[in-house]
Amino acid sequence: MKDLHILPKLRDSMSFLYVEHRRIDQEALAIAFHDTDGKTLVPCASLNTLFLGPGTNISHAAVKALADNGCLIVWVGEASVRFYAEGMGETRSSQSVLQQARIFSDPTQRLKVVRNLYEMRFPDPLPPNLTLQQIRGKEGIRVREAYAKASRDSGLPWFGRSYQSNNWDAADPINRALSAANSCLYGICHSAIVSAGYSPALGFIHTGKMLSFVYDIADLYKVDVTIPIAFQAVAEGLTNLERRVRHKCRDYFYSQKLLQRILPDIEKVLLVEPESRESPFDSTNPPPTNLWDSVPGGVNWADDDDDDLPI
């Protein structure tokens, strides 16, 4: 595609589409979803993110058509309880990750995001004069009370969070259920983060891991999602515990439309205005063509055809 301006604006596109147990082919300027009832056509240029769940079979031509139109393809587990891989379209903007990196590298802005990540976990606004250490103390109390409430509601004793990644069976059933539920939550948060163009590695509270930002965002929901699900699953029995936890998470994510909530929460955390996420190619301004002009020996390929790129 020679003129990226003919692409539809992000606000006119479908934000995401989740598909499972379908065969997907390319047909003209669209992709076709095939099932026992026939086929459904979706224009490639109108789709921002395609989530491929279990049982999907997509052709090479369909992947190429989606990539050429800037659609992100994400391979996930059922209802996004797992994140497996992603394929990025070449026309997608790096604006989100650049903004995230800019905030991450600014100590003042980064501290604001850290406070946001803590304060958003409370139903009522916190006094503005609280220090970060005081907020962390209140968060510790909130989490302990959540465990105590889940213990009372389920009738199960709680002895504290204990988990060894190299010895799964050493943990008690509740801790195993919590780990399984958290893994599902990480999956859907990971999917949401990459679908919006952010980096899962640039965390603000958590740092040093490839999924640091995933852990930051997932912590917004654990008290309301994974803790009650884990205790409820154990209270119902220990047979196929981890599998039942995954199914409970899947059903909760679907019924509560969690994926649709995560992106606005990320924008709130990072103090991002929704309108600012539009690709620069959506504006009337042309793409930059002089990025490397000031770099000694730099070569700008923005105006050249792909066939002229060096091998």
Side-chain angles (χ1 to χ4, degrees), residues 125-195:
L126 298 177
N129 60 340
L130 287 180
T131 66
L132 184 58
Q133 288 73 21
Q134 290 172 322
I135 296 176
R136 284 172 172 162
K138 292 179 67 67
E139 167 65 3
I141 295 173
R142 185 184 76 99
V143 172
R144 288 194 294 271
E145 289 178 346
Y147 282 125
K149 181 179 184 302
S151 177
R152 292 193 301 270
D153 292 345
S154 63
L156 299 172
W158 170 245
F159 302 106
R161 189 74 173 103
S162 176
Y163 167 66
Q164 300 177 21
S165 59
N166 59 350
N167 193 355
W168 176 262
D169 294 328
D172 60 53
I174 295 178
N175 274 285
R176 295 203 308 273
L178 284 167
S179 296
N182 287 340
S183 179
C184 295
L185 183 59
Y186 296 151
I188 194 171
C189 290
H190 197 167
S191 298
I193 288 168
V194 300
S195 73

Side-chain angles (χ1 to χ4, degrees), residues 95-125:
Q95 182 174 351
S96 293
V97 71
L98 290 176
Q99 187 168 20
Q100 181 186 6
R102 186 162 51 247
I103 297 171
F104 177 86
S105 60
D106 184 325
T108 301
Q109 294 298 316
R110 184 175 180 180
L111 180 59
K112 288 182 180 179
V113 170
V114 171
R115 291 184 69 96
N116 284 346
L117 284 165
Y118 280 118
E119 292 179 2
M120 284 179 60
R121 306 177 197 185
F122 296 91
D124 300 317

Side-chain angles (χ1 to χ4, degrees), residues 38-115:
K39 69 179 179 181
T40 302
L41 296 179
V42 176
C44 296
S46 69
L47 189 58
N48 185 44
T49 304
L50 177 63
F51 292 96
L52 301 180
T56 51
N57 190 332
I58 187 168
S59 69
H60 180 278
V63 171
K64 183 179 184 299
L66 291 166
D68 288 345
N69 284 275
C71 178
L72 171 67
I73 307 174
V74 184
W75 284 262
V76 298
E78 191 173 9
S80 293
V81 297
R82 291 287 187 272
F83 176 95
Y84 298 123
E86 62 174 309
M88 189 73 70
E90 64 177 10
T91 63
R92 290 178 66 89
S93 169
S94 62
Q95 182 174 351
S96 293
V97 71
L98 290 176
Q99 187 168 20
Q100 181 186 6
R102 186 162 51 247
I103 297 171
F104 177 86
S105 60
D106 184 325
T108 301
Q109 294 298 316
R110 184 175 180 180
L111 180 59
K112 288 182 180 179
V113 170
V114 171
R115 291 184 69 96

Side-chain angles (χ1 to χ4, degrees), residues 241-283:
L241 177 60
E242 289 81 359
R243 181 173 181 269
R244 288 189 294 105
V245 168
R246 290 196 300 271
H247 287 177
K248 285 181 178 294
C249 288
R250 174 202 64 189
D251 295 343
Y252 180 92
F253 296 165
Y254 179 79
S255 65
Q256 299 300 313
K257 294 179 170 59
L258 184 60
L259 188 61
Q260 297 179 31
R261 290 169 46 195
I262 295 174
L263 288 181
D265 284 345
I266 292 175
E267 292 171 348
K268 186 176 179 181
V269 163
L270 298 179
L271 302 174
V272 173
E273 295 296 331
E275 294 80 6
S276 69
R277 287 196 296 108
E278 287 202 4
S279 167
F281 298 133
D282 296 333
S283 68

